[in-house]
Amino acid sequence: MLSRIYQASDARMAPARQRARITAPVRGVPVYVMLPLDTVWLLERDGATQPLLIREKAMEVGLEMLSRAGVDGVMIDVWWGIAEHAGPGHYDFSAYRKLFEQVASKGLKVQAVMSFHAAGNNVGDCCRISLPRWVVEAGEADPDIFFTDSSGYRNRECLSIGADEQPVLAGRTPIQAQADFIAAFADEFGDMLGGVITEVTVGMGPAGELRYPSYPEGDGRWRFPGIGQFQCYDKYMLASLREAALAAGHPEWGHGGPHDSGSYNSHSSETGFFKSYGGSWDTEYGRFFLNWYSGLLNQHADRLLGAARQVLSARCRPRTMREARELSDGGMLYVFEPAVQLGIKLAGVHWWFKSRAHAAELTAGYYNTRERNGYLPIFEMLKRHGATASFTCVEMRDCEHPIEGRCSPEGLLNQVLSTAARVGVPMSGENALQRYDQWAFDKICDSAFGQSVMAGRLEKLTFLRMGDMMIDNWSAFGAFLQRLTCPPS
């Protein structure tokens, strides 16, 4: 990944090419760069498996280049399958400690992603990292801890949110196990929280994003722009659905997902559920199901963020004072919050956005249609936790996508940005694909600085990704970076 980084170590910034200058911003946008997925790797050494920081020298040179270029920091996946590989409650963050110290020595910050998923099944995944072996074994004993589709296929990339509060992991629930992981991380890096480590992004599902694994590209079941499939057929999800159906007075609705929602690669018009006019999504049953399905996803984020916030707010952890309020009796109330920012990732599911039903968003768990803002409940939940959101596809334009997919990454981004601004939740952005063309750079700048006060703007950009492609396009990246960090007045 970093094989050519030495040849570029003396590269300097090229003058910025001025094409479509962005007007009006009064401040730049901090830029972070994602490190390679396999920066920390499990290796056999002396008969034992242990996490190691690989390509150390190349990484040091690369970090120096980023620092000199004006990058604020880096994003790094802290893999559950690596740091807790040895068994439940056995944590090894030594390789990450070495990496973070290396990052800090270059004057860079860290956005640490608690990656509670497996790598290898998503766009851009260049390696395979599994869930911890003891979690995989728990899944072998109880396959229903994994998301399941209507055909019975188990997705082993992440755990089903239906099992959130079930003691399926050696006596712990998934929420407890993941909160314990965050607590162990905070114990190890307490000296860096709020200083070197500026944000802890909590992984919420596939690719670390808050969504269902409705479009699994890695195993070939799904191809763009298929609508995807509902993932609600493990026994824990079905039990929740039955309970909700009984409470709604319609027990017949609790046996499974919609029968007429098509397959992974269907188009909206080919299904009874998603067709724009007369589709089941716009009936009493459809509204019940979609409210339940999306609501469960929101509850998952609420539970996990609540647990993470509690862990990071503990007395022994670095905290900052959010406010000091004088009480009626003359006393003072001091409100503290974690010194490190909490965040989550949202997926840019932009295909079928121009249809009424927004089918791909619905199967992914975002109950967003032409008549309903499905992102509002998510941002309201994030506001309660003082958390931020990072959104993908900030480099994409509508005209780059096939007409038949009814895509609108620009429309979706505008909706998400304006909703975040309305609720008061800071938004960050990521590019979904590695691109270094001028069209992508221009679009990212447009997305970053916003087109109007109402549309909002990005508080930070995380650029995908450090590696050979970035080095090969270093001059172009440098000019782009200057546009973001030093915008015209």
Side-chain angles (χ1 to χ4, degrees):
M1 179 66 75
L2 300 178
S3 59
R4 293 192 292 279
I5 203 165
Y6 290 107
Q7 288 81 355
S9 61
D10 292 327
R12 294 295 183 265
M13 293 302 191
R17 231 177 87 197
Q18 303 302 323
R19 289 190 74 253
R21 276 295 208 176
I22 307 303
T23 58
V26 296
R27 58 185 170 88
V29 175
V31 177
Y32 281 57
V33 172
M34 298 183 201
L35 296 187
L37 294 175
D38 59 350
T39 296
V40 173
W41 196 249
L42 278 179
L43 293 177
E44 292 281 347
R45 175 176 287 185
D46 300 327
T49 303
Q50 59 182 349
L52 291 174
L53 175 59
I54 60 176
R55 300 184 296 266
E56 254 185 271
K57 298 301 292 184
M59 178 60 66
E60 184 174 359
V61 173
L63 293 173
E64 178 67 23
M65 290 175 66
L66 294 179
S67 178
R68 290 186 181 185
V71 167
D72 285 73
V74 296
M75 174 191 280
I76 178 67
D77 291 277
V78 181
W79 294 102
W80 192 19
I82 289 179
E84 199 178 352
H85 74 281
H90 296 279
Y91 308 101
D92 186 349
F93 294 104
S94 56
Y96 290 102
R97 164 67 69 173
K98 195 170 189 178
L99 173 63
F100 292 177
E101 289 176 349
Q102 193 178 65
V103 171
S105 72
K106 305 301 180 184
L108 298 170
K109 304 297 185 181
V110 170
Q111 180 181 353
V113 183
M114 304 291 102
S115 294
F116 296 122
H117 64 285
N121 291 314
N122 295 288
V123 175
D125 285 2
C126 59
C127 62
R128 290 199 169 272
I129 299 170
S130 73
L131 296 173
R133 180 59 198 166
W134 55 274
V135 174
V136 174
E137 290 171 352
E140 291 169 353
D142 181 6
D144 284 284
I145 69 173
F146 296 118
F147 283 112
T148 307
D149 65 17
S150 58
S151 300
Y153 185 91
R154 312 283 188 180
N155 188 306
R156 289 171 169 77
E157 184 181 353
C158 56
L159 299 180
S160 167
I161 61 176
D164 268 1
E165 299 180 291
Q166 304 296 325
V168 295
L169 299 179
R172 293 184 295 172
T173 70
I175 295 292
Q176 289 172 335
Q178 291 168 3
D180 288 346
F181 184 87
I182 297 171
F185 177 85
D187 288 341
E188 173 65 34
F189 297 105
D191 58 319
M192 292 185 173
L193 294 178
V196 174
I197 302 173
T198 58
E199 180 174 329
V200 171
T201 301
V202 183
M204 292 286 171
E209 298 166 337
L210 178 63
R211 65 174 174 88
Y212 291 97
S214 57
Y215 49 98
E217 184 179 45
D219 58 20
R221 281 179 295 153
W222 173 86
R223 294 184 307 278
F224 179 85
I227 60 176
Q229 279 195 13
F230 292 113
Q231 306 290 308
C232 58
Y233 291 89
D234 64 78
K235 68 181 182 184
Y236 301 108
M237 292 284 287
L238 287 173
S240 173
L241 179 58
R242 282 194 297 272
E243 183 179 346
L246 283 171
H250 288 279
E252 70 276 13
W253 290 349
H255 299 298
H259 70 279
D260 56 350
S261 57
S263 62
Y264 284 105
N265 297 306
S266 297
H267 287 195
S268 288
S269 59
E270 298 170 346
T271 73
F273 191 82
F274 294 116
K275 64 183 179 181
S276 289
Y277 295 95
S280 304
W281 65 275
D282 200 18
T283 63
E284 183 186 2
Y285 163 71
R287 287 185 285 275
F288 157 78
F289 177 81
L290 294 171
N291 270 306
W292 167 79
Y293 189 70
S294 63
L296 217 58
L297 193 67
N298 207 27
Q299 291 167 28
H300 168 70
D302 192 29
R303 281 192 290 263
L304 190 47
L305 276 178
R309 186 174 179 80
Q310 184 175 9
V311 161
L312 294 172
S313 299
R315 288 183 178 273
C316 58
R317 306 260 155 68
R319 295 182 295 165
T320 58
M321 189 172 67
R322 188 176 69 195
E323 62 175 309
R325 190 185 314 149
E326 187 173 355
L327 302 176
S328 58
D329 61 1
M332 294 293 295
L333 174 66
Y334 298 96
V335 180
F336 292 88
E337 62 184 5
V340 66
Q341 177 67 58
L342 268 177
I344 70 167
K345 293 188 179 188
L346 297 176
V349 186
H350 58 82
W351 50 107
W352 303 106
F353 183 86
K354 290 183 177 179
S355 66
R356 289 188 70 225
H358 294 216
E361 288 170 273
L362 298 187
T363 59
Y366 303 133
Y367 187 3
N368 191 53
T369 69
R370 193 170 293 177
E371 287 78 28
R372 184 184 192 275
N373 186 344
Y375 299 97
L376 183 58
I378 296 173
F379 283 111
E380 290 174 339
M381 177 271 299
L382 293 175
K383 181 70 172 179
R384 291 196 301 272
H385 291 289
T388 67
S390 182
F391 190 72
T392 57
C393 80
V394 296
E395 85 285 12
M396 294 183 178
R397 299 179 299 153
D398 290 4
C399 63
E400 297 169 337
H401 295 88
I403 295 175
E404 62 270 20
R406 308 298 300 278
C407 305
S408 184
E410 294 176 274
L412 175 59
L413 177 62
N414 184 67
Q415 180 187 356
V416 170
L417 275 173
S418 59
T419 305
R422 170 183 165 188
V423 178
V425 172
M427 274 285 297
S428 301
E430 298 179 13
N431 50 314
L433 303 173
Q434 288 199 60
R435 292 177 55 181
Y436 293 87
D437 58 279
Q438 200 63 42
W439 289 114
F441 287 154
D442 286 348
K443 185 57 195 170
I444 291 174
C445 289
D446 287 344
S447 302
F449 296 128
Q451 300 304 296
S452 69
V453 174
M454 289 303 295
R457 56 169 280 155
L458 298 178
E459 296 295 319
K460 180 177 66 182
L461 173 78
T462 304
F463 194 84
L464 175 76
R465 165 183 321 270
M466 182 181 180
D468 288 347
M469 188 179 293
M470 175 175 282
I471 302 308
D472 290 343
N473 293 276
W474 187 251
S475 293
F477 175 71
F480 159 71
L481 188 62
Q482 189 172 0
R483 290 176 64 187
L484 279 177
T485 57
C486 305
S489 56

